[in-house]
Amino acid sequence: MVGKKSGKALLREEGLERTDNNMELTSWPQIIPINQKNYYTDYLKRDEQILAVRTQQEEARSKMVKQAKDRDRALAQGKTVGPDGDIEMEEGEEEAEDEAASGAKTIVIHLGSQNLRIGLANDALPKTVPMVIARRAPHSESEEGDGEPAPKRAKLDNGSHPSEPEKRFGDEFQKKFTGMSNDLKLRMRMNKRKVLPQSRDMVTSYNRRNTYETITEHNDTMQIDWTETSGPGQRPPEYITGRAALRIPDKSTPRYKLFWPIRLGWLNERDYASKQLLYEDIRIIIEDAITSQLEVKIQSRGERAQYSCVVVIPDYYERTYVTTLLDMAISDFGFGRVCFVQESLASSFGAGFTTCCIVDIGAQKTSVSCIEDGMIIENSRVNLKYGGRDITEAFVKMVIYNHFPYAELNLNRRFDFQLAEELKQKFCTMTEADISVQLYDFHLRAPDQDTRKYTFKIYDEVILAPMGMFKPTIFDDAGKLNGRRKLVDKSYDIYDGKPNDPSSTAQAEILTSIAPEEVINSTIKKAAKANGLTNGHTNGTKEEPANDSRRPSFSNIKEMDATPQPSAASSPARQLDGTPQLEDGEGAAVQEKPKAEEEEEEPVSIERRDDILPIYPLPNAIVTSVTHAARGSAQKTSDLLSSIMLTGGTSIIPGLAGHLEDTLKGILPGYSKDIIISRPPRELDPQVVAWKGGAVFGRMSRTNDSWVNPFLYERLGERVLAHKMMWAW
């Protein structure tokens, strides 16, 4: 019988005995794994850990300490201290305090496509400067392209222009113009207004035989002082800005070409060869406006640091545009602090409204946004690319069509452009009671020529041109997307690489409804590929064809004056509060499926949105914006429709508010008693109400926490805007 073995003997025999020297496998420190069920961190969870917020709290704390020390010092010196801690300050201290509170040290800047409005926050009205710069060039803008006039004339097979005014702009324009004129006659007859049967013939017959009258220079009391660019002992400047640039003769020696850095509310990439020159022109225009228009003399950069700057930006902005202005204001201009405010929000500040729908009709863009409790509803923002400049061009086409005596009118010539703007402001109206054959006159003032006085008759052109905002097919949209993204690319997220410019469901719906078929098809194919679509099926559901039924659009929108609306025939019906309805096979209305149950529709992709020009009827755009802002709430819809406010330079057209109100009542008959369109209160000029709101915002020193100073910008760069903007950046 074998004896029992010990444990050590078994370990030796089995080879399990430990034979090492008890040394660690590595000299690196061993890190104990974290218990995943019970760990905690406060990284970036407290305000004190964010530099922008911590700096703001430190400033508030330093201010409280200073006030306490001043109060103790005043008590020790026997001065009077009020019950709230107010101290009787010295005369110099009171003046400094008044300057800070009144906005005397705050400059408000509002950049537009055609005009720059700039002024101190305590000014009653801003200074208006044309947003243009003239630079020396081989040719002026009227001499480029073989002198092709604007608006462009149609050409015959031999390359010449038609001699008949009715054919100078092509058959398509003739059909649209004639159709709009006939619709106007029908509407005026329905409204019991007198319409002469031969009105157009009366206009054309008079304009055909009319000539001009020459007025000598010494008899012209309103002659224009043209800008002199050369002379004895005078060196031609490299550039000229503002109103003086528009008064440079087209055939000056040397030649100058006009550049407009902002176009259609975007950076003008079409007319520039480099991004640096584009930014430099914006900087020069603002710098010259501050120097020449504001009654402040800033001799050094240290004095500039004592001033604050408020920049009014578009509602539907591009991040690259905002960050460029921020860098320019702090690095180039040297302002002590900068903040941004959106146009519609600034307009609500200037008008004193808290809940409203702002319709801003500018020179080259029109924006619609809804305000609720002093903040813009993001998904209600709409940005359309037409405005007063398109109305001017359509008006010129219409008057030339009716044998305008000055048929050589060319918007590429500077004096003709100013003449066309003057004629539009004088005669355009949307009041049907003013439509009749009337006799007018105007003076043509050109460089190195005697003044000419023309008389002409005009009829319905004055109302059909601004009617283009309701029927934008009359506008010429050719070339508006030329050069888009040529110099300045989109802003992309550094983590996922996706574009991070702001988005709006209202804008996306409009873009989807007007998108060309090739854009829709490419988007659907991309979505199908991403969803794993095989053999026309996905998850047992057949692939739907790419037709209008896939586009989210409005219905219950009547055709306005026989104008076809985009995708109106195939869009689902909507209730009066904007809630969509569907119809079953028997025609009975059924409730729409919840979003989670219905198939996910793929709108126009973000990458393809730059390929679509947002041109849409203004009343439909307002309905789209209000519907997305109300989100099905009838009460909110009623509140927004009852406080629609028109702003912008083009909104001053007489009768526009009444005509727009009648059109909206026809689109939404259930809200006809609620729809009210108004102007800014207190007889405030609609052109400057956004600037006025920016001035109010800049003077809110105690409640405004969106200031960015050089200290924060130097350390955080554009990332500081995520903590300083009042809206989601």
Side-chain angles (χ1 to χ4, degrees):
M1 181 176 179
V2 180
K4 186 176 181 182
K5 295 184 179 181
S6 64
K8 289 185 178 181
L10 289 174
L11 290 176
R12 279 195 307 270
E13 291 178 3
E14 299 295 334
L16 300 177
E17 184 180 8
R18 181 172 180 176
T19 58
D20 61 0
N21 53 6
N22 291 327
M23 294 184 65
E24 298 288 344
L25 296 178
T26 177
S27 60
W28 289 90
Q30 299 296 319
I31 301 175
I32 302 175
I34 299 175
N35 184 0
Q36 299 292 330
K37 295 183 178 180
N38 185 21
Y39 74 95
Y40 173 79
T41 178
D42 60 353
Y43 178 66
L44 291 184
K45 289 186 177 180
R46 291 182 292 147
D47 292 342
E48 293 79 5
Q49 296 173 335
I50 300 174
L51 178 61
V53 180
R54 186 170 66 248
T55 304
Q56 180 178 326
Q57 292 177 349
E58 291 174 356
E59 291 178 357
R61 191 180 302 110
S62 300
K63 186 176 180 180
M64 292 177 59
V65 172
K66 181 179 179 300
Q67 291 177 350
K69 290 181 178 179
D70 292 342
R71 184 172 61 253
D72 294 341
R73 188 181 301 109
L75 291 173
Q77 294 176 358
K79 294 183 179 180
T80 305
V81 178
D84 297 333
D86 298 333
I87 308 170
E88 291 185 356
M89 293 182 293
E90 301 290 339
E91 184 176 353
E93 296 177 352
E94 290 181 358
E95 292 179 358
E97 186 73 18
D98 291 342
E99 282 187 354
S102 63
K105 294 285 187 179
T106 303
I107 298 175
V108 183
I109 300 174
H110 183 196
L111 297 170
S113 301
Q114 187 162 314
N115 291 313
L116 163 68
R117 308 195 192 277
I118 188 170
L120 297 174
N122 62 344
D123 292 341
L125 294 173
K127 306 292 184 182
T128 301
V129 181
M131 191 66 190
V132 64
I133 182 172
R135 286 188 174 273
R136 293 178 60 174
H139 306 284
S140 64
E141 61 274 10
S142 62
E143 296 172 335
E144 291 185 337
D146 297 329
E148 180 71 25
K152 290 185 178 181
R153 274 65 163 175
K155 290 185 178 181
L156 302 175
D157 295 337
N158 57 4
S160 62
H161 298 289
S163 58
E164 301 89 347
E166 294 86 354
K167 298 181 180 180
R168 289 183 182 175
F169 301 107
D171 296 335
E172 185 178 357
F173 175 79
Q174 181 179 1
K175 292 178 182 178
K176 293 177 181 178
F177 183 32
T178 305
M180 292 178 66
S181 181
N182 294 334
D183 293 341
L184 176 64
K185 290 180 181 179
L186 292 176
R187 189 168 63 250
M188 292 181 66
R189 288 193 179 101
M190 290 175 59
N191 295 334
K192 309 299 182 183
R193 301 191 185 279
K194 184 177 181 181
V195 179
L196 297 177
Q198 303 297 328
S199 299
R200 190 172 298 280
D201 294 337
M202 295 170 57
V203 172
T204 55
S205 62
Y206 180 86
N207 291 340
R208 277 197 191 100
R209 64 176 185 269
N210 186 40
T211 58
Y212 60 85
E213 174 187 352
T214 303
I215 300 177
T216 56
E217 182 178 352
H218 63 274
N219 288 330
D220 185 9
T221 58
M222 301 183 66
Q223 56 183 325
I224 298 176
D225 294 331
W226 302 100
T227 303
E228 297 290 340
T229 58
S230 62
Q234 180 183 359
R235 183 179 179 181
E238 288 295 328
Y239 59 83
I240 302 174
T241 64
R243 200 168 303 279
L246 294 177
R247 294 183 176 177
I248 301 175
D250 291 83
K251 297 183 178 180
S252 62
T253 305
R255 292 288 195 272
Y256 283 83
K257 181 182 177 181
L258 298 184
F259 291 91
W260 304 81
I262 307 295
R263 177 174 170 267
L264 301 174
W266 294 326
L267 293 172
N268 186 1
E269 304 172 69
R270 184 189 67 178
D271 299 334
Y272 283 87
S274 68
K275 180 169 60 175
Q276 288 74 18
L277 184 59
L278 171 60
Y279 293 158
E280 181 68 11
D281 281 359
I282 296 177
R283 187 196 65 80
I284 290 175
I285 293 173
I286 298 176
E287 181 75 30
D288 287 358
I290 293 175
T291 305
S292 61
Q293 300 297 325
L294 302 186
E295 298 179 357
V296 292
K297 302 299 180 182
I298 304 176
Q299 302 295 336
S300 64
R301 190 177 181 87
E303 295 180 2
R304 185 70 64 87
Q306 300 176 8
Y307 284 81
S308 305
C309 179
V310 178
V311 184
V312 183
I313 61 174
D315 307 330
Y316 202 68
Y317 58 86
E318 293 181 342
R319 291 174 65 125
T320 304
Y321 173 72
V322 178
T323 55
T324 301
L325 292 179
L326 174 63
D327 181 74
M328 192 178 300
I330 292 182
S331 301
D332 296 337
F333 296 130
F335 289 122
R337 54 180 187 169
V338 183
C339 71
F340 296 92
V341 60
Q342 294 168 295
E343 287 177 344
S344 293
L345 186 59
S347 298
S348 68
F349 283 169
F353 291 174
T354 57
T355 300
C356 58
C357 178
I358 303 294
V359 182
D360 186 357
I361 311 174
Q364 298 182 19
K365 75 171 180 64
T366 298
S367 62
V368 184
S369 297
C370 294
I371 312 293
E372 183 183 18
D373 295 334
M375 291 295 292
I376 293 179
I377 302 175
E378 293 183 356
N379 286 330
S380 70
R381 293 176 295 182
V382 172
N383 194 301
L384 308 175
K385 299 306 177 184
Y386 59 78
R389 178 64 184 269
D390 298 273
I391 295 176
T392 301
E393 186 172 339
F395 180 69
V396 169
K397 284 183 177 181
M398 292 176 181
V399 294
I400 293 178
Y401 182 93
N402 285 343
H403 296 259
F404 192 59
Y406 180 47
E408 300 81 13
L409 185 61
N410 181 6
L411 294 180
N412 285 336
R413 288 199 292 254
R414 295 154 197 170
F415 59 89
D416 280 352
F417 171 73
Q418 297 181 70
L419 172 64
E421 288 287 329
E422 180 185 352
L423 294 177
K424 179 194 70 173
Q425 295 173 8
K426 274 187 176 180
F427 305 130
C428 280
T429 180
M430 297 202 72
T431 305
E432 294 182 359
D434 298 337
I435 305 304
S436 62
V437 178
Q438 300 185 38
L439 180 65
Y440 294 107
D441 61 65
F442 68 92
H443 294 78
L444 173 63
R445 295 179 174 89
D448 303 325
Q449 296 181 16
D450 288 335
T451 301
R452 300 178 183 179
K453 180 181 179 181
Y454 288 87
T455 57
F456 69 102
K457 283 189 176 181
I458 201 169
Y459 177 48
D460 57 358
E461 304 94 321
V462 294
I463 190 173
L464 295 183
M467 191 69 73
M469 292 183 292
F470 299 78
K471 301 177 181 179
T473 53
I474 196 66
F475 293 150
D476 184 11
D477 304 327
K480 286 189 175 182
L481 287 178
N482 290 352
R484 181 75 171 140
R485 302 299 182 190
K486 183 181 73 172
L487 302 177
V488 183
D489 201 1
K490 292 180 181 179
S491 175
Y492 291 95
D493 191 271
I494 61 175
Y495 296 105
D496 55 16
K498 296 181 180 179
N500 58 3
D501 283 335
S503 61
S504 167
T505 56
Q507 182 80 0
E509 177 170 332
I510 289 177
L511 292 178
T512 306
S513 65
I514 64 179
E517 288 300 326
E518 57 270 16
V519 177
I520 291 291
N521 293 337
S522 65
T523 301
I524 293 176
K525 290 178 181 178
K526 180 179 179 182
K529 183 178 180 181
N531 294 332
L533 207 154
T534 307
N535 295 329
H537 294 76
T538 173
N539 298 330
T541 304
K542 292 185 178 181
E543 180 184 9
E544 296 181 0
N547 54 22
D548 288 345
S549 63
R550 292 184 59 87
R551 307 181 187 178
S553 59
F554 280 90
S555 76
N556 200 23
I557 297 179
K558 297 181 179 179
E559 293 188 359
M560 298 183 300
D561 307 321
T563 302
Q565 302 300 326
S567 65
S570 58
S571 57
R574 286 183 178 265
Q575 300 175 359
L576 293 180
D577 60 353
T579 305
Q581 288 183 346
L582 300 175
E583 293 187 356
D584 56 13
E586 300 177 357
V590 296
Q591 293 295 327
E592 187 186 25
K593 295 180 181 179
K595 192 66 178 179
E597 299 177 5
E598 65 180 0
E599 287 189 16
E600 182 180 356
E601 295 184 356
E602 176 72 19
V604 176
S605 62
I606 298 177
E607 291 77 7
R608 298 303 303 269
R609 289 181 185 177
D610 286 340
D611 301 335
I612 307 171
L613 184 66
I615 301 294
Y616 204 67
L618 180 60
N620 295 17
I622 295 175
V623 173
T624 306
S625 175
V626 171
T627 304
H628 281 266
R631 297 186 294 274
S633 172
Q635 182 60 41
K636 189 178 294 185
T637 302
S638 176
D639 293 341
L640 293 173
L641 291 175
S642 62
S643 57
I644 300 176
M645 185 174 67
L646 296 180
T647 64
T650 309
S651 66
I652 62 177
I653 296 177
L656 174 60
H659 188 86
L660 181 59
E661 186 173 316
D662 293 340
T663 307
L664 288 175
K665 289 179 179 179
I667 296 175
L668 299 174
Y671 290 95
S672 58
K673 296 181 179 180
D674 300 324
I675 297 175
I676 299 176
I677 298 179
S678 61
R679 294 283 185 87
R682 301 183 298 276
E683 298 183 357
L684 188 62
D685 188 355
Q687 302 178 78
V688 302
V689 65
W691 180 93
K692 195 69 176 177
V696 173
F697 183 72
R699 294 168 63 177
M700 298 166 58
S701 58
R702 296 186 178 180
T703 57
N704 186 358
D705 298 333
S706 58
W707 293 106
V708 178
N709 54 38
F711 171 80
L712 292 175
Y713 182 71
E714 180 184 355
R715 285 156 179 79
L716 299 178
E718 63 184 57
R719 292 177 298 165
V720 70
L721 295 177
H723 306 290
K724 288 295 184 178
M725 290 297 195
M726 294 195 304
W727 59 91
W729 174 258

